[in-house]
Structures are given as C-alpha cells and as structure tokens.
C-alpha cells in the first residue's frame, strides 16, 4: 500500500480513481471525509489522496494518471507512422504525406 498522489479536489480524485480502476489498478481514496474540517487543519492535509494497494503498480499508475491529467488522447501530439512527422493533436491526417492517424499505434 502506497500513496500515489494528492488530488486538488474530490471531483478530480474520483475521476482519477475511475481512470485507475479502469486500467485494472486497485486503489483507495483517503482523506475524503476530512474536507468538512477544512479551516481547522492545513488545507494541504485535507486534500484527497489516492493510494494504490499494490506498490508494484506505481509506475503503471503514474503513467495512467499522467495521461488523464493531459486530457483525452486526441489532444496529444502524435507521430506519423509513415514518415515520422510529429503532428498536433487536432490533426487526424499527416499534413506531410496524407497518412491517417492510427489510434492503435499512437506514440
Ligand atoms: Zn506522414
């Protein structure tokens, strides 16, 4: 059992929990009942924390959360499988060679 990260608020914490659970990572939300005590204890100690049950999931969980924080996959830059050109996330076709983005081989 290990603390993975601290979420800025409960809504974000729940979102991250969903993302982790979907990825098959067992996790728990801690501190969720403490927000009512806000003002009596330092705010950063009231923030919800995400804990993973299995320490070995840490690298995977960190990667999953990084992607969740950076928004949906189609907002990320991608690399053309044909010519290697890097493209902004809003493009679905390579401007250089016309190859369509392949979501299964997304880098
Ligand atoms: Zn290309």
């Amino acid at each position: 059992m290990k603390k993975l990260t601290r979420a800025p608020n409960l809504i974000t914490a729940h979102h991250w929990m969903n993302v982790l659970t979907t990825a098959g990572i067992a996790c728990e939300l801690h501190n969720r009942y403490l927000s009512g005590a806000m003002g009596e204890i330092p705010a950063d100690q009231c923030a919800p924390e995400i804990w993973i049950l299995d320490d070995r999931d840490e690298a995977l969980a960190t990667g999953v959360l990084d992607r969740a924080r950076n928004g949906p996959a189609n907002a990320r830059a991608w690399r053309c499988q044909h010519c290697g050109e890097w493209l902004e996330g809003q493009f679905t076709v390579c401007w250089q060679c016309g190859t369509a983005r392949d979501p299964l081989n997304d880098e």
Side-chain angles (χ1 to χ4, degrees):
M1 186 107 147
K2 184 166 189 173
K3 187 170 92 175
L4 182 67
T5 189
R6 181 178 284 156
N9 55 58
L10 262 185
I11 292 167
T12 304
H14 279 293
H15 172 60
W16 289 353
M17 290 286 291
N18 284 338
V19 169
L20 290 170
T21 305
T22 302
I25 298 163
C27 50
E28 286 183 357
L29 188 54
H30 288 211
N31 274 8
R32 74 179 114 175
Y33 301 116
L34 274 182
S35 47
M38 203 83 89
E40 290 169 40
I41 46 180
D44 67 328
Q45 289 175 26
C46 303
E49 293 175 348
I50 307 229
W51 289 64
I52 49 173
L53 301 194
D54 189 335
D55 293 10
R56 291 170 297 181
D57 284 337
E58 185 178 15
L60 175 63
T62 301
V64 167
L65 273 196
D66 278 348
R67 283 196 291 281
R69 286 175 171 137
N70 292 331
N74 61 10
R76 283 184 291 125
W78 58 285
R79 192 158 179 252
C80 176
Q81 296 296 313
H82 182 71
C83 71
E85 186 69 29
W86 277 99
L87 297 132
E88 296 297 322
Q90 69 265 32
F91 298 112
T92 54
V93 172
C94 175
W95 58 263
Q96 178 139 295
C97 71
T99 302
R101 183 179 189 176
D102 182 354
L104 297 177
N105 275 313
D106 209 352
E107 289 191 40

